[in-house]
Amino acid sequence: MSIEVRNIRKQFGSFTALDDVSLDFPTGELVALLGPSGCGKTTLLRIIAGLESADSGSVLLEGEDASHTHVRERQVGFVFQHYALFRHMSVFDNVAFGLRVKPRKERPSEAVIRKKVHELLELVQLDWLADRFPAQLSGGQRQRIALARALAVEPRVLLLDEPFGALDAKVRKELRRWLRRLHDELHITSIFVTHDQEEALEVADRVVLMDHGHVEQIGTPEEVYRHPATPFVYGFLGAVNHFHGRAEDGQVRVGEDLLHRGQDALALTLDQGAPVVAFARPHELDILPGEAGNLGVAAKISRILAFGVTARIELDGVNGSSGQHFEVELTREQVERQGLAEGQPVRLVPSRLKVFEQKGA
Amino acid sequence: MTVEFSLWALLQSLADGAKWTVALSALAFLFGGATGLLILFARMSRSRLLRQATRVYIEVFQGTPLLMQLFLIFFGLSLAGLEVSPWLAAAVGLTLFSSAYLAEIWRGCVEAVPRGQWEASSSLAMSYLEQMRHVILPQALRLAIAPTVGFSVQVIKGTAVASIIGFIELTKTGSMLANATFQPFLIYGLVAASYFLLCYPLSLYAQYLERKLHVSR
């Protein structure tokens, strides 16, 4: 089932959680709402679920306005960060519960319920835990049971609020893959909220990036990572280097140095002298030895960390970029070939660069 | 002239009085519990009026001495032309008193059930009453058992107040015996010991429950 939200606003006291948010969630997709805490992602999810109501705007389920429908009637499956399993019931009863409390007319027979619960428990690979109580399960197991419980009532959409947020890193990674596989099997329209960019990029069909109650960018993981639309997205997704400078003749000048443009022509259409921030990822920077030449930004190597195949080089800016810190990723051979050493003065040349005008500077 | 009582006869009279103390406590606790449950629902209902009314009810019974409540019921009702026996007045007074406290204790327990449990059950399409019955109350009950048993001790001690309106229970029996024997220290010592014998097992039981339910959570 498709979900649309139209012009949603939500205010908590003087804090604006959602500021005119409109989004489409097509049928069958797994979408991640990604952003830092306080960006409004959880509030949006709860509004879609009907657990919270918007100040204005509407939620459309399958094209029908559901804004004033109670969560009971929306037929959404909701998975909570802290599982919210019923602690006084066994795993089996937890999953069966949604079916057992259905009105008598719609309620399946006990035999059907049993079969269905066992199917769901097999789906989440925890059939052997049916008789346990939630307190006896690990966090990862609890969350899978919570998912089975939500799926039992055959919801039209599945909403997950930081589903792996309370789990340790290893379990989180496992469950991520598992959620993706599950979605590929069920194809139920799903939205999950996360502040973990890796999780969002790895699991979702599409990622919605949010900040301060606004949608910053929507796209496939590839799109948002490769072509961030705003400085926020650039900074939020993965490690990144910032160069603070100004626009000059369609190029970027940092202090006295000219930040070289690589294969991508910058084609800046900014006013002469406008303050800009240029972004480059650590693997998008090359290091040229020596102070000479008018190419790139002068810096000094402060540390070389070469553990694995790749080496991470930390640098401090000098001259115009002093006080700024940079990070470059090279292969270990490159470091050896170039004979890079700590304390060495070098120049940084981006092979790929994205420039944004700096607002409020 | 003083009447001589054997210690055995004293104990027998006190045991007689203690019977009534137990009966009054049990009655107050049972009816108080039933009334308290109704008040609990009203206290948490969606109707503002009901919520306010029960709040006033609870504040009044928690904010005035039990003795005054009994006086008002005993004398107030006779003023209104209703003949009330001390037994009935004591039972009604203690019932109302217990209901106010129990409703408040239980409300705390219901609110201690995490909000996620409400949300999880409503996303499974349950109605308010279903949520209460299947999800919230069973969990609140576990939390409530220990403080509820603990409160029963308060009810037993509270029944002593009924002696003042002439209800013959443990304390009243004690004071009559003390007047007759001129041995107030001995008699009230025995009375106190009797209360202790009634209450201490309950206190122990409440502690035991608290530990047990806490661990298994």
Side-chain angles (χ1 to χ4, degrees):
Chain A
M1 187 184 66
S2 68
I3 307 167
E4 291 165 58
V5 296
R6 290 278 162 269
N7 310 98
I8 296 277
R9 275 176 204 282
K10 178 73 178 178
Q11 195 96 18
F12 292 110
S14 64
F15 176 74
T16 307
L18 292 170
D19 189 5
D20 200 17
V21 171
S22 297
L23 284 168
D24 284 337
F25 301 92
T27 306
E29 270 197 3
L30 175 56
V31 179
L33 294 181
L34 175 65
S37 38
C39 74
K41 55 192 190 299
T42 292
T43 308
L44 180 61
L45 191 78
R46 292 172 60 86
I47 287 174
I48 294 172
L51 292 170
E52 204 104 49
S53 59
D55 297 339
S56 65
S58 48
V59 176
L60 285 78
L61 301 177
E62 198 90 88
E64 266 173 59
D65 192 346
S67 311
H68 303 288
T69 315
H70 192 271
V71 51
R72 280 196 283 280
E73 279 102 51
R74 287 201 194 180
Q75 294 178 276
V76 296
F78 203 96
V79 175
F80 298 83
Q81 179 177 6
H82 295 288
Y83 330 124
L85 289 176
F86 303 132
R87 295 174 294 182
H88 58 300
M89 295 181 196
S90 70
V91 162
F92 184 93
D93 290 338
N94 260 283
V95 179
F97 194 51
L99 297 170
R100 283 180 176 159
V101 295
K102 275 188 187 255
R104 203 170 294 276
K105 273 184 296 175
E106 302 165 31
R107 192 186 311 162
S109 71
E110 190 60 27
V112 174
I113 291 179
R114 294 202 149 266
K115 188 160 163 282
K116 171 122 198 202
V117 171
H118 281 297
E119 275 168 20
L120 281 163
L121 288 176
E122 266 162 40
L123 183 71
V124 300
Q125 298 155 1
L126 290 177
D127 203 23
W128 52 289
L129 289 175
D131 297 327
R132 302 272 185 95
F133 280 84
Q136 299 166 301
L137 308 185
S138 73
Q141 291 170 338
R142 282 183 217 191
Q143 197 56 296
R144 284 192 275 166
I145 298 301
L147 198 64
R149 181 182 68 178
L151 290 172
V153 290
E154 294 180 2
R156 300 190 291 172
V157 291
L158 187 60
L159 307 174
L160 307 106
D161 181 14
E162 305 245 5
F164 313 133
L167 304 171
D168 65 63
K170 188 165 164 273
V171 179
R172 207 151 73 199
K173 247 186 160 139
E174 258 172 50
L175 282 193
R176 237 185 246 169
R177 264 179 241 131
W178 174 83
L179 176 66
R180 182 66 240 186
R181 276 206 309 276
L182 191 78
H183 184 265
D184 291 339
E185 258 172 69
L186 300 175
H187 283 297
I188 174 171
T189 311
S190 310
I191 306 177
F192 79 102
V193 155
T194 180
H195 59 255
D196 182 341
Q197 41 126 344
E198 212 180 297
E199 190 171 296
L201 296 177
E202 196 175 306
V203 175
D205 294 316
R206 283 201 310 151
V207 179
V208 175
L209 274 128
M210 295 183 64
D211 189 36
H212 288 110
H214 292 278
V215 173
E216 292 272 331
Q217 190 176 2
I218 307 168
T220 65
E222 165 89 13
E223 276 163 17
V224 295
Y225 187 80
R226 296 275 303 164
H227 306 290
T230 68
F232 166 78
V233 177
Y234 225 119
F236 195 74
L237 291 180
V240 75
N241 292 292
H242 315 234
F243 295 94
H244 294 272
R246 56 187 194 282
E248 208 177 285
D249 304 327
Q251 299 181 51
V252 179
R253 199 173 273 284
V254 178
E256 289 311 303
D257 302 326
L258 197 62
L259 191 59
H260 180 71
R261 42 180 170 162
Q263 301 95 310
D264 293 316
L266 289 177
L268 290 177
T269 51
L270 295 167
D271 296 340
Q272 193 77 345
V276 295
V277 197
F279 291 87
R281 303 228 182 260
H283 64 266
E284 295 168 346
L285 282 176
D286 294 326
I287 296 180
L288 300 185
E291 295 171 81
N294 57 1
L295 245 136
V297 169
K300 206 172 84 180
I301 296 177
S302 64
R303 232 146 84 84
I304 298 177
L305 301 152
F307 305 116
V309 203
T310 60
R312 203 171 90 219
I313 296 134
E314 294 176 358
L315 306 102
D316 295 324
V318 292
N319 300 337
S321 59
S322 66
Q324 300 185 31
H325 300 279
F326 307 108
E327 201 182 302
V328 177
E329 231 175 71
L330 296 175
T331 62
R332 207 156 57 186
E333 287 101 74
Q334 274 175 299
V335 174
E336 277 161 20
R337 188 149 22 88
Q338 287 190 280
L340 300 178
E342 291 179 7
Q344 188 183 353
V346 293
R347 280 172 176 269
L348 291 174
V349 180
S351 57
R352 199 163 168 279
L353 197 64
K354 178 94 181 171
V355 182
F356 295 97
E357 188 171 7
Q358 202 167 21
K359 300 212 179 78
Chain B
M1 174 195 115
T2 55
V3 193
E4 285 299 321
F5 284 91
S6 68
L7 186 64
W8 179 241
L10 282 178
L11 287 176
Q12 244 176 351
S13 312
L14 286 176
D16 237 25
K19 249 181 4 211
W20 287 104
T21 291
V22 170
L24 181 60
S25 308
L27 204 70
F29 192 69
L30 279 178
F31 285 109
T35 318
L37 201 61
L38 292 178
I39 297 194
L40 171 70
F41 271 95
R43 182 84 176 81
M44 298 191 318
S45 89
R46 261 167 273 182
S47 147
R48 219 182 128 79
L49 187 74
L50 271 180
R51 282 204 310 268
Q52 290 295 339
T54 45
R55 240 192 65 165
V56 170
Y57 178 91
I58 289 167
E59 292 296 335
V60 164
F61 281 100
Q62 289 196 337
T64 55
L66 176 59
L67 184 57
M68 292 306 126
Q69 294 162 19
L70 289 189
F71 278 166
L72 286 177
I73 290 165
F74 188 54
F75 299 114
L77 286 183
S78 15
L79 266 184
L82 286 169
E83 201 52 52
V84 211
S85 67
W87 164 239
L88 184 63
V92 170
L94 277 159
T95 294
L96 298 181
F97 169 81
S98 310
S99 69
Y101 273 91
L102 286 173
E104 210 47 9
I105 290 174
W106 293 342
R107 185 177 65 93
C109 298
V110 168
E111 281 175 4
V113 175
R115 205 163 64 118
Q117 299 282 315
W118 284 101
E119 295 183 338
S121 47
S122 52
S123 73
L124 290 176
M126 261 179 262
S127 71
Y128 177 78
L129 282 179
E130 285 171 338
Q131 289 177 294
M132 269 298 200
R133 192 178 125 211
H134 297 297
V135 178
I136 306 301
L137 286 184
Q139 294 186 55
L141 194 69
R142 289 173 65 121
L143 298 173
I145 288 173
T148 304
V149 173
F151 178 72
S152 68
V153 172
Q154 299 298 319
V155 175
I156 292 177
K157 290 190 292 184
T159 56
V161 173
S163 65
I164 304 202
I165 56 169
F167 179 62
I168 301 172
E169 36 65 83
L170 187 51
T171 304
K172 182 72 179 173
T173 309
S175 66
M176 292 192 308
L177 287 176
N179 285 341
T181 58
F182 297 109
Q183 285 182 297
F185 187 76
L186 171 69
I187 300 291
Y188 286 123
L190 287 174
V191 169
S194 311
Y195 275 112
F196 188 76
L197 282 179
L198 289 178
C199 294
Y200 188 58
L202 282 173
S203 296
L204 281 184
Y205 188 52
Q207 279 172 30
Y208 163 76
L209 286 174
E210 200 160 339
R211 240 176 298 132
K212 189 178 144 200
L213 294 176
H214 197 77
V215 170
S216 67
R217 198 135 42 90

